[in-house]
Amino acid sequence: MSSNNQRLHVAVGVIRDGDGRILITQRAKHAHQGGLWEFPGGKLEADEPVQQALARELAEEVGIQVETATPLIKINHDYGDRHVLLDVWNVSAFAGQARGCEGQAMRWIDAEQLKEFTFPAANIPIIAAAQLPHYYAILEGRSATEALDNCQRILANGVKLLQFRVKSLPIADLQTVFEQVSQLCRQQQVSLLVNADLPVDTVHAQGLHLSSRALLACHERPNGYRWVAASCHNLEELKHTEALGLDFAVLAPIQATASHPDATALGWQALSELLEHINLPVFALGGLGRRDLNRALAAGAQGIAGISTFLATD
């Protein structure tokens, strides 16, 4: 990296109010990427801890005092004239009234409205991460009755992102069960993705989930879906997911599992190291429970994915 293109380490806040709305501000016309919208934040000073920089920048820019912040995603992006590392945090609690302290325009918007505004290219994965929940449930079942029962148990646990992957269900029952699951998800405002390996009509699905095999056979992002995701097991598959412009990935297995005893567990350290090389929300899967969420977030993951994880009540 040349001396005039040193990487800028920037602390960024996805700030949410009590109604779940997100604060965005507009960059000054004369600034780098001027006129575009962004999530508030600013560069770290020498040897400054990132959370300290986040608190300082948000106090200076929008006049709030950070009370609760958790890691969301890290983005490395090269604009050609500038290389940035965006260290992005969810700010879920703060004191003070947000205002444009530097005269900048600002808006509180619903997460779904983010796509209506023009952001710098580096912000695209942040927009996806800001709209995704921390939990991604995978629905399976050996019969129609079991699949529907599992779906109701998962939704009762408050899950808002669900993959339909009932591969052991008889083909004759697949479409009917899928339509019933789709209706349940619509009623509870749950985003439903269908596994691409299943022979079902996906007209009622908001998303498509590619197996690792389907991912590597794919050369462009499938059209017509709000969400497109993929299962990954290594850096090559993660990089391919990113190159296709997919919205998120699931990386497995993080821990040893009874269902795949021969698969080598990646472990938390490998998860963290792999995520340093991509700009993509990633759910951790394999031997994990909801109790592991904070550890997953600290490693840089979007959250936890699982099958049995979301069937039990706490």
Side-chain angles (χ1 to χ4, degrees):
M1 192 181 298
S2 62
S3 60
N4 61 353
N5 193 23
Q6 295 297 313
R7 185 173 71 171
L8 292 178
H9 192 175
V10 180
V12 178
V14 175
I15 306 164
R16 301 177 193 266
D17 68 7
D19 296 319
R21 296 180 304 169
I22 294 172
L23 182 67
I24 60 173
T25 58
Q26 192 171 33
R27 295 182 65 81
K29 297 292 185 183
H30 64 273
H32 183 261
Q33 303 284 305
L36 301 183
W37 291 86
E38 66 176 356
F39 302 97
K43 63 182 180 179
L44 277 65
E45 296 177 352
D47 300 321
E48 186 179 25
V50 64
Q51 284 185 273
Q52 181 178 316
L54 179 70
R56 175 182 54 77
E57 286 287 345
L58 296 187
E60 293 173 0
E61 283 193 23
V62 293
I64 65 170
Q65 291 76 53
V66 175
E67 294 180 339
T68 304
T70 55
L72 180 60
I73 193 171
K74 288 184 180 180
I75 304 296
N76 279 286
H77 189 86
D78 192 345
Y79 285 104
D81 62 334
R82 183 169 297 183
H83 188 105
V84 296
L85 166 61
L86 303 182
D87 209 321
V88 189
W89 292 67
N90 259 321
V91 177
S92 55
F94 60 89
Q97 185 74 32
R99 63 190 188 280
C101 297
E102 299 171 350
Q104 72 275 36
M106 55 171 274
R107 302 267 188 93
W108 285 103
I109 62 172
D110 293 330
E112 286 299 315
Q113 293 178 279
L114 288 169
K115 58 183 178 293
E116 300 172 13
F117 294 79
T118 304
F119 287 79
N123 283 230
I124 302 305
I126 304 175
I127 292 171
Q131 293 175 324
L132 288 166
H134 287 315
Y135 295 130
Y136 182 34
I138 301 167
L139 176 64
E140 293 191 343
R142 292 163 294 183
S143 67
T145 299
E146 185 178 62
L148 289 170
D149 179 63
N150 285 348
C151 181
Q152 290 171 333
R153 291 165 66 186
I154 288 169
L155 300 189
N157 277 322
V159 170
K160 292 300 181 183
L161 189 67
L162 178 69
Q163 179 193 158
F164 185 83
R165 194 185 75 174
V166 284
K167 293 185 177 182
S168 57
L169 197 66
I171 292 177
D173 295 334
L174 262 178
Q175 191 65 40
T176 299
V177 173
F178 177 65
E179 295 295 340
Q180 292 173 303
V181 169
S182 298
Q183 183 176 3
L184 289 170
C185 288
R186 287 195 298 272
Q187 290 171 350
Q188 299 195 35
Q189 297 181 309
V190 173
S191 295
L192 178 64
L193 289 78
V194 64
N195 190 283
D197 293 345
L198 295 180
V200 296
D201 183 349
T202 62
V203 66
H204 293 306
Q206 288 179 282
L208 191 69
H209 187 104
L210 304 176
S211 64
S212 57
R213 181 181 64 255
L215 168 68
L216 295 178
C218 191
H219 302 293
E220 61 182 12
R221 178 190 170 101
N223 291 324
Y225 298 99
R226 168 68 183 86
W227 297 107
V228 183
S231 293
C232 300
H233 305 94
N234 52 50
L235 183 58
E236 176 192 5
E237 292 172 352
L238 288 169
K239 285 287 190 182
H240 192 53
T241 300
E242 183 181 6
L244 290 174
L246 306 193
D247 299 296
F248 66 92
V250 172
L251 183 63
I254 305 306
Q255 305 279 42
T257 65
S259 58
H260 297 85
D262 297 330
T264 302
L266 293 167
W268 292 108
Q269 184 62 33
L271 169 65
S272 182
E273 291 172 358
L274 286 169
L275 297 187
E276 291 285 342
H277 297 285
I278 60 163
N279 298 325
L280 189 73
V282 174
F283 289 89
L285 171 68
L288 307 178
R290 282 172 283 181
R291 65 188 180 280
D292 296 304
L293 177 61
N294 287 338
R295 192 167 188 181
L297 296 178
Q302 176 73 23
I304 298 293
I307 303 169
S308 59
T309 300
F310 303 107
L311 294 176
T313 55
D314 289 334

